[in-house]
Amino acid sequence: MGVTVAETGYTARHLSVLEGLEAVRKRPGMYIGSTDSRGLMHCLWEIVDNAVDEALAGYCDRIEVELYPDGSIEVRDNGRGIPVDIEPKSGLPGVELVYTKLHAGGKFGGGSYRASGGLHGVGASVVNALSARLDVAVDRDGRTHLISFRRGVPGVFDGDGPKARFKKKSGLRDGGPLDRPVTGTRVRWWADEQIFLPEAEVSLDEIRVRLRQTAFLVPGLTLTVRDGRGEEPIEETFRFAGGIAEFADFLAPDEPVCDVLRLQGVGHFHETVPVLDDQGHMTSAQVERELAVDVALRWGKGYDTVVRSFVNVIATPKGGTHVSGFERALVRTINEQLRETRLLKNGDEPVTKEDILEGLTAVVAVRLPEPQFEGQTKEVLGTSAATRIVSHVVSRGLKEIFATPKRAQRQQLRAVLEKIVAAAKARIAAREHRDNQRRKSALENSALPAKLVDCRSDDVERSELFIVEGDSALGTAKFARNSEFQALLPIRGKILNVQKASVSDMLKNAECAAIIQVIGAGSGRSFDLSAARYGKVILMADADVDGAHIRCLL
């Protein structure tokens, strides 16, 4: 179908190129997920995660989050402070570069961070682009350095708040000398009403959960939240020295079967990544990575499973390769221990992941430089080497614990294995029960067996069913019966002794199944006498020892 350019009016002038932070403001959902409360919280976590990265690097031990009555949010840390010197390539101060350019930061292989939560270099600049006003104060080199932005553009406000008069101006302002030699960064921003929905708000409960979680994951880090939005200010501080072992105890919903088991180790892998050379150009290089694994797990008396996973303190609620490695090692090692202790015998089914996870509380944390996440929201880890390394560390750690348990651990570990075996037996019993119910339903709903010689009457009270011994007796009984109301069902020899057999074996027996089908009243708990097809059931057997035995079995 030929259409001319003149007819459509579609030419190169209709193409748009979004420069810099324009793309963020045009499509904010691509960077923060949504423009409701969830997106607002994501902006907060981008700034908090930058401060946590300083803590992971060993340069920060205090982070504060403050919510102001005017809706603004401030995050303070005592890390090294964002660089304020001029970046040679752009000619901009480091802090201005970080907040105005996408994919700018110290986490692209420059050696500033061995492990970090911020990876893509867009967090700070995205928050800046989506803010009506953002102020940054950096304490560094004995002075305070200031810079402000309006919707991503650097400049100066002549008053407080986002509605103050604004003048564009690049560069830092001098905030004066420091009273004492301290370093750190303070970031305060007002979310842009042009971007976020009117009902979007920051949740104090979510902040509590996240800061508590981070305090567990980074032992020794103090995190404080202050909420000044209500009539009475609220302040809470989180600091834990026990790390993820303490976190596992906190998360557990039940009484423990065993103490928390801690599994730690380090693995190495190689990958080809783009890195910056001396001239600032991106080149491909083969680099060796170190992946540190830290796992805490404990089994409880309950049945619920709680597994939390983290990469560089960033939660991965949808798991990823590190969780796959953890589960794989858990299943393999537990099955080996059950065989060694003979709780599982030859021929027994191996226990499954679901059996092992029953009552388990676990925290799986890994740290590595430049992990591969699926998207900016970082919900799934994609680094393939994590599966192998985590599996190796967990398998080796569990084997060591089972091989050389401490004095108090021996009985606890035995109780854990017995709990898992009990879960497996319950699962198998439930499966057999379902199979039996399906088989019973199939018997009750299927056609009558061909060997039944039925009667013509539909009157249940008058009709009779003769169960006769063998086909030879059937032939004789056919001539003696009244076909109007007497039916005949032959059975072959001695039927199954159901007193000793299981329900499953009984339902598999052809003779028992035929009797259940013909009588039509079901069996076991589903037996319903009112549904029977015959008013009387008569047993016919030979007058000898075998006949007496058959009568007894019937």
Side-chain angles (χ1 to χ4, degrees):
M1 179 176 170
V3 181
T4 65
V5 172
E7 289 174 327
T8 62
Y10 181 51
T11 62
R13 65 186 177 84
H14 293 94
L15 303 177
S16 299
V17 178
L18 299 178
E19 298 288 346
L21 301 185
E22 281 183 76
V24 180
R25 292 185 60 79
K26 187 70 175 176
R27 298 285 185 267
M30 179 178 172
Y31 296 88
I32 61 170
S34 65
T35 56
D36 54 10
S37 297
R38 189 163 58 95
L40 202 59
M41 294 301 296
H42 187 84
C43 287
L44 171 58
W45 301 138
E46 290 287 1
I47 303 300
V48 170
D49 288 346
N50 287 340
V52 173
D53 289 341
E54 283 289 291
L56 287 175
Y59 298 104
C60 169
D61 62 7
R62 189 179 70 253
I63 298 173
E64 299 174 359
V65 177
E66 186 157 0
L67 310 178
Y68 290 98
D70 63 357
S72 63
I73 309 168
E74 184 172 17
V75 176
R76 299 183 287 270
D77 70 67
N78 66 342
R80 290 170 291 184
I82 302 173
V84 294
D85 54 319
I86 301 299
E87 194 275 325
K89 191 175 178 181
S90 65
L92 297 174
V95 63
E96 183 175 341
L97 180 71
V98 166
Y99 276 90
T100 57
K101 303 297 181 184
L102 291 174
H103 308 292
K107 300 160 188 174
F108 296 107
S112 300
Y113 296 91
R114 291 185 63 190
S116 66
L119 300 166
H120 306 129
V122 301
S125 53
V126 164
V127 176
N128 190 19
L130 303 179
S131 299
R133 175 175 179 173
L134 184 141
D135 297 333
V136 183
V138 178
D139 295 331
R140 191 173 170 123
D141 303 327
R143 303 191 71 84
T144 298
H145 308 269
L146 306 174
I147 189 170
S148 298
F149 304 89
R150 184 175 183 267
R151 299 188 172 98
V153 179
V156 179
F157 290 89
D158 66 358
D160 297 330
K163 295 182 179 179
R165 188 179 302 171
F166 176 78
K167 181 180 178 182
K168 293 182 182 179
K169 183 182 178 183
S170 180
L172 299 175
R173 305 190 309 278
D174 187 7
L178 295 168
D179 295 336
R180 58 187 188 278
V182 295
T183 58
T185 304
R186 302 182 296 281
V187 184
R188 182 177 180 180
W189 73 97
W190 289 254
D192 194 348
E193 295 178 355
Q194 296 178 5
I195 300 293
F196 292 95
L197 300 176
E199 60 269 22
E201 63 177 9
V202 174
S203 167
L204 179 61
D205 289 337
E206 282 189 47
I207 294 175
R208 284 193 186 108
V209 170
R210 180 68 171 259
L211 296 189
R212 181 187 294 113
Q213 167 187 294
T214 304
F216 279 123
L217 293 168
V218 189
L221 176 62
T222 301
L223 297 109
T224 301
V225 57
R226 296 189 187 91
D227 188 357
R229 297 174 297 178
E231 294 181 2
E232 291 291 330
I234 299 172
E235 180 172 330
E236 289 187 57
T237 299
F238 304 97
R239 188 179 190 279
F240 303 101
I244 65 170
E246 199 172 343
F247 194 16
D249 265 334
F250 173 80
L251 292 172
D254 49 14
E255 293 183 22
V257 172
C258 67
D259 295 333
V260 175
L261 308 178
R262 193 78 174 267
L263 313 173
Q264 294 175 298
V266 175
H268 296 84
F269 65 100
H270 291 85
E271 64 178 348
T272 302
V273 297
V275 296
L276 290 171
D277 60 18
D278 295 337
Q279 285 75 40
H281 301 127
M282 298 295 282
T283 59
S284 294
Q286 185 85 358
V287 296
E288 184 180 20
R289 303 291 200 196
E290 180 181 281
L291 189 148
V293 182
D294 193 1
V295 176
L297 66 159
R298 51 86 92 185
W299 278 268
K301 295 180 179 179
Y303 305 98
D304 295 332
T305 302
V306 180
V307 177
R308 298 286 180 85
S309 61
F310 302 89
V311 178
N312 300 346
V313 309
I314 302 298
T316 48
K318 296 181 181 178
T321 51
H322 54 328
V323 176
S324 298
F326 166 72
E327 293 175 346
R328 183 183 302 175
L330 206 57
V331 172
R332 183 175 64 248
T333 308
I334 292 296
N335 271 292
E336 290 174 359
Q337 293 303 318
L338 289 172
R339 299 286 181 192
E340 286 184 16
T341 55
R342 300 192 179 182
L343 288 172
L344 276 186
K345 299 179 177 61
N346 291 334
D348 288 349
E349 283 187 32
V351 298
T352 65
K353 181 179 77 173
E354 288 69 28
D355 302 329
I356 296 169
L357 294 182
E358 187 175 288
L360 175 70
T361 300
V363 179
V364 181
V366 298
R367 292 187 184 180
L368 71 158
E370 301 187 46
Q372 303 300 314
F373 287 107
E374 296 182 8
Q376 172 64 11
T377 51
K378 306 168 188 168
E379 293 182 329
V380 182
L381 177 66
T383 303
S384 58
T387 300
R388 173 181 56 82
I389 295 172
V390 173
S391 178
H392 175 72
V393 170
V394 171
S395 180
R396 185 188 62 196
L398 281 176
K399 286 178 180 177
E400 288 177 359
I401 290 173
F402 278 103
T404 56
K406 298 175 183 176
R407 183 177 300 177
Q409 277 186 329
R410 194 177 299 277
Q411 287 185 332
Q412 294 179 357
L413 296 175
R414 179 77 181 186
V416 167
L417 295 178
E418 289 174 350
K419 175 182 172 64
I420 293 169
V421 170
K425 289 180 178 177
R427 172 180 54 81
I428 293 169
R431 185 183 66 198
E432 290 179 350
H433 178 70
R434 287 194 304 271
D435 291 343
N436 291 340
Q437 290 300 111
R438 289 170 186 153
R439 195 173 288 116
K440 285 170 65 176
S441 298
L443 287 176
E444 293 162 7
N445 298 327
S446 60
L448 294 173
K451 59 185 178 180
L452 171 68
V453 182
D454 210 350
C455 58
R456 293 192 297 271
S457 174
D458 292 331
D459 185 353
V460 175
E461 293 296 328
R462 185 166 175 250
S463 60
E464 300 172 348
L465 173 66
F466 286 82
I467 300 177
V468 300
E469 177 190 345
D471 292 336
S472 57
L474 174 66
T476 307
K478 275 184 181 179
F479 295 106
R481 72 161 185 153
N482 185 333
S483 61
E484 177 64 28
F485 63 91
Q486 291 178 330
L488 303 173
L489 175 66
I491 61 167
R492 187 179 301 168
K494 296 178 182 179
I495 69 165
L496 184 71
N497 185 352
V498 296
Q499 185 69 28
K500 296 181 179 180
S502 66
V503 175
S504 176
D505 290 338
M506 183 271 289
L507 292 172
K508 291 176 184 176
N509 183 270
E511 307 303 326
C512 294
I515 294 172
I516 294 171
Q517 281 179 277
V518 169
I519 295 176
S523 65
R525 293 182 181 179
S526 63
F527 181 79
D528 182 7
L529 186 61
S530 63
R533 298 176 63 246
Y534 304 94
K536 187 182 294 184
V537 178
I538 302 166
L539 308 181
M540 290 181 62
D542 294 340
D544 55 16
V545 174
D546 287 340
H549 192 191
I550 290 172
R551 286 197 308 275
C552 180
L553 292 174
L554 286 170

